[in-house]
Amino acid sequence: MLDDLDDIHPLFHGAPKSTEFKKLRKRIVQNVREAIEQYGMIERDARWLVCLSGGKDSYTMLAILYELKWRGLLPVDLLACNLDQGQPGFPATVLPEFLEKMGVPHRIEYQDTYSIVMDKVPAGRTFCALCSRLRRGNLYRIAREEGCSAVVLGHHRDDILETFFMNLFHGSRLATMPPKLVNEEGDLFVYRPLAHVAEADCEKFATAMNYPIIPCDLCGSQDGLQRQQVKGILDGWEKNAPGRRQKMFRALMNTRPSHLLDPAIFDFKGLQINEQKPDNFLDIPDLR
């Protein structure tokens, strides 16, 4: 599938020639294409606001979207965007210089949401929830100003799985980040094309391409977060049973409402006895 040429786009210049990297790149391309097709993300002649944090995930997403576009598999216009939220120590020149060098159309926006978060969040609490809401609101605004129909985020498979367990452990609900949704105002799509891509693959890809990674812990609020605790649990499970993460992720795509307990999504009261098993019947062993 992949060419030996490294001139598909400047984002791929200098790509390693090793068989291992080619397999990695092919796997990520296939994963992203699968998610885009499976969740119906393509709107022909649409414009996407591709959100970049400067982390390994967003760099990987940008490169793979450009590869799909080059191959004629993504007929949309891409506009890269970075929101500088005023975090102390944020290297403000890294992304603009990188995007200029790569010839990627982009918009850099400065909004000091960091000061707002520091003012509003009580001492000892994490900043992430409020920071995320402020960031998302600004990205929606930018998307509207730029005539974009979708905001594209770099959340990967592991982010989605971790969010599921955070909701399970702390929110008492079965929910996670969907690959595709419509915002509350109803005027923008939110896409996560890396939904099927493993975090480890993003890290290997971005490292091999030597992209200028910006650390995600500049605000100093990352230690002890619930997400880090969940990540540690999943790391332990994966270590003891390699492949466990992927199996759990696939379970999110294979739900059985009739074998859960939510009467809002399955009509238990209306369930009737008949001679044949219903189509959704599933024999589940008693594991007690």
Side-chain angles (χ1 to χ4, degrees):
M1 173 184 173
L2 298 177
D3 302 327
D4 291 333
L5 300 176
D6 64 357
D7 60 355
I8 287 178
H9 188 276
L11 284 164
F12 287 95
H13 286 182
K17 302 293 187 182
S18 67
T19 300
E20 182 180 3
F21 179 79
K22 291 179 179 179
K23 288 181 179 179
L24 170 68
R25 178 173 162 184
K26 180 178 181 179
R27 180 167 65 248
I28 298 175
V29 168
Q30 290 177 335
N31 287 161
V32 172
R33 185 180 179 187
E34 179 185 53
I36 288 174
E37 293 180 351
Q38 185 168 9
Y39 299 106
M41 298 181 189
I42 293 181
E43 317 155 72
R44 188 166 294 277
D45 300 323
R47 195 176 200 211
W48 288 5
L49 189 75
V50 182
C51 303
L52 302 180
S53 65
K56 63 185 186 306
D57 312 322
S58 59
Y59 278 123
T60 300
M61 176 177 67
L62 181 68
I64 299 304
L65 290 180
Y66 264 94
E67 171 148 352
L68 290 174
K69 185 175 175 64
W70 180 84
R71 294 181 180 280
L73 300 173
L74 188 63
V76 301
D77 186 28
L78 302 177
L79 176 67
C81 177
N82 171 250
L83 178 64
D84 181 346
Q85 297 181 260
Q87 293 175 328
F90 183 78
T93 62
V94 169
L95 275 169
E97 291 176 355
F98 174 81
L99 294 170
E100 287 286 349
K101 180 180 178 181
M102 297 294 115
V104 173
H106 62 278
R107 173 170 169 175
I108 306 296
E109 179 87 4
Y110 177 80
Q111 293 289 332
D112 185 9
T113 63
Y114 178 80
S115 297
I116 298 174
V117 171
M118 292 296 292
D119 180 62
K120 299 294 184 182
V121 177
R125 301 289 295 274
T126 59
F127 308 149
C128 299
L130 178 57
C131 181
S132 178
R133 287 198 299 271
L134 293 173
R135 179 171 62 250
R136 192 68 57 86
N138 277 288
L139 292 174
Y140 289 166
R141 171 183 57 79
I142 295 168
R144 295 182 186 107
E145 291 174 357
E146 295 291 345
C148 297
S149 60
V151 172
V152 185
L153 306 176
H155 297 121
H156 46 65
R157 180 202 69 179
D158 297 65
D159 288 325
I160 291 173
L161 192 57
E162 289 160 15
T163 300
F164 170 80
F165 280 102
M166 288 174 66
N167 280 316
L168 178 67
F169 295 156
H170 304 289
S172 300
R173 60 182 179 270
L174 299 180
T176 189
M177 302 172 176
K180 175 182 179 180
L181 61 85
V182 175
N183 67 337
E184 292 182 359
E185 294 80 3
D187 64 337
L188 291 169
F189 286 111
V190 177
Y191 295 149
R192 295 182 173 94
L194 294 183
H196 293 176
V197 180
E199 180 178 17
D201 281 352
C202 291
E203 184 168 5
K204 291 175 185 176
F205 182 87
T207 300
M209 291 304 304
N210 199 30
Y211 291 144
I213 306 298
I214 298 174
C216 65
D217 58 353
L218 294 174
C219 63
S221 69
Q222 301 299 310
D223 292 341
L225 290 179
Q226 293 174 350
R227 183 172 294 275
Q228 296 302 318
Q229 296 170 1
V230 169
K231 183 185 288 289
I233 292 171
L234 297 180
D235 285 344
W237 288 346
E238 184 71 22
K239 181 178 180 180
N240 292 331
R244 178 73 60 85
R245 264 193 173 94
Q246 183 63 11
K247 289 182 179 179
M248 290 188 292
F249 178 77
R250 287 292 174 185
L252 297 179
M253 304 168 64
N254 188 26
T255 58
R256 296 290 188 270
S258 63
H259 287 70
L260 296 174
L261 283 76
D262 190 347
I265 61 172
F266 186 80
D267 184 13
F268 291 99
K269 290 183 177 180
L271 195 61
Q272 300 292 323
I273 295 176
N274 46 43
E275 295 180 358
Q276 293 183 338
K277 295 179 181 180
D279 290 340
N280 58 13
F281 185 87
L282 180 66
D283 289 314
I284 298 179
D286 188 345
L287 300 180
R288 291 176 295 179

